[in-house]
Amino acid sequence: MARRIGLLGGTFNPVHIGHLRAALEVAEFMALDELRLLPSARPPHREAPQVSAEQRLAMVELAVAGEPRLSVDDRELRRDRPSYTVETLESVRGELAADDQLFLLVGWDAFCSLPSWHRWQELLTHCHLLVLQRPDADSEAPEALRDLLAARNVSDPLSLTGASGQISFIWQTPLAVSATQIRQLLASGQSARYLLPDAVLAYIQAHQLYGAPNA
Ligand code: ATP
């Protein structure tokens, strides 16, 4: 039986309910066997001074604990430099059966910047693209993507067939929360409670991340 696996990359600095609800809703809607959150490595100088890659990973692990549809894939953090998405996809593919379906989730903005990605024309040989689109968004694709969309777009995401090669859109209202907002709240001594799982907030407090006072 072919498996259906989704990947959601991000810095998750820290992971929050916006990421988690988006991931869970896509996993349920698409009937995925597994949706993996994939924390990305950041160049060392871009790590927030007191938050390491290991701590970002630990927070994602706490966030998905007990939710069987969500998991964490730490392969980008195990490399010694930030990975190109195409390399990550090659690596994931190498562990799957040929007919397993792989879905890469990308936001609309990321999708529009696709032509600037390393070896971007190869991405669809490894996965399908699920473009997360806000219902109110203006979705005129850039010129460079029109031919690709004309050739690969499937209007119903549940009709994507085969292991890879197609693009579809999922319309989803994102929760109004960002990691930037959470970092700012914590740095100014305000509560970030309910914007992220309690276990993640407890971890942040225990390790005094983002300027949060020890609980
Ligand atoms: P920052 O505020 O630090 O830029 P962020 O909250 O946007 O971070 P990222 O780690 O950059 O988080 O996001 C990872 C992925 O999750 C991206 O594809 C992003 O579009 C998506 N995402 C971020 N916030 C939300 C949200 N509130 N709802 C749905 N998806 C989100």
Side-chain angles (χ1 to χ4, degrees):
M1 204 29 199
R3 286 188 298 159
R4 290 163 68 78
I5 297 189
L7 291 177
L8 174 65
T11 48
F12 304 118
N13 186 30
V15 64
H16 55 68
I17 58 167
H19 304 129
L20 296 164
R21 280 303 309 174
L24 189 57
E25 286 174 22
V26 170
E28 287 198 314
F29 174 69
M30 293 295 295
L32 300 182
D33 296 297
E34 185 184 352
L35 196 151
R36 301 182 187 172
L37 279 70
L38 184 81
S40 53
R42 314 181 74 209
H45 63 276
R46 289 200 54 204
E47 286 290 347
Q50 75 282 44
V51 181
S52 66
E54 291 72 26
Q55 289 170 325
R56 290 188 291 115
L57 174 64
M59 291 188 279
V60 183
E61 284 172 342
L62 286 169
V64 302
E67 173 44 66
R69 279 162 292 206
L70 303 184
S71 63
V72 189
D73 189 319
D74 68 353
R75 80 187 61 224
E76 292 197 351
L77 301 183
R78 284 190 264 114
R79 295 176 63 110
D80 51 9
R81 60 172 174 83
S83 315
Y84 292 112
T85 300
V86 68
E87 298 170 339
T88 300
L89 292 171
E90 284 170 343
S91 167
V92 173
R93 256 292 153 217
E95 298 168 3
L96 301 180
D99 60 348
D100 285 343
Q101 293 186 294
L102 187 59
F103 300 91
L104 180 69
L105 281 56
V106 293
W108 170 249
D109 292 348
F111 177 68
C112 289
S113 71
L114 209 65
S116 68
W117 294 20
H118 185 59
R119 293 163 50 198
W120 71 278
Q121 271 107 340
E122 294 170 48
L123 295 169
L124 285 173
T125 63
H126 304 299
C127 66
H128 294 299
L129 279 179
L130 284 180
V131 184
L132 303 183
Q133 182 63 286
R134 296 164 183 259
D136 57 349
D138 170 20
S139 53
E140 190 65 24
E143 187 67 40
L145 290 174
R146 301 242 170 94
D147 289 349
L148 181 77
L149 276 172
R152 307 296 190 109
N153 190 22
V154 172
S155 58
D156 178 2
L158 295 173
S159 302
L160 292 170
T161 53
S164 62
Q166 299 175 323
I167 303 171
S168 198
F169 289 74
I170 291 190
W171 303 85
Q172 195 182 55
T173 303
L175 295 175
V177 48
S178 70
T180 303
Q181 174 198 8
I182 291 170
R183 292 194 302 272
Q184 286 170 350
L185 286 171
L186 294 169
S188 63
Q190 292 174 275
S191 175
R193 189 147 189 222
Y194 309 131
L195 296 177
L196 67 185
D198 284 346
V200 177
L201 187 55
Y203 183 95
I204 288 171
Q205 289 167 335
H207 294 83
Q208 292 177 271
L209 305 182
Y210 310 111
N214 207 321

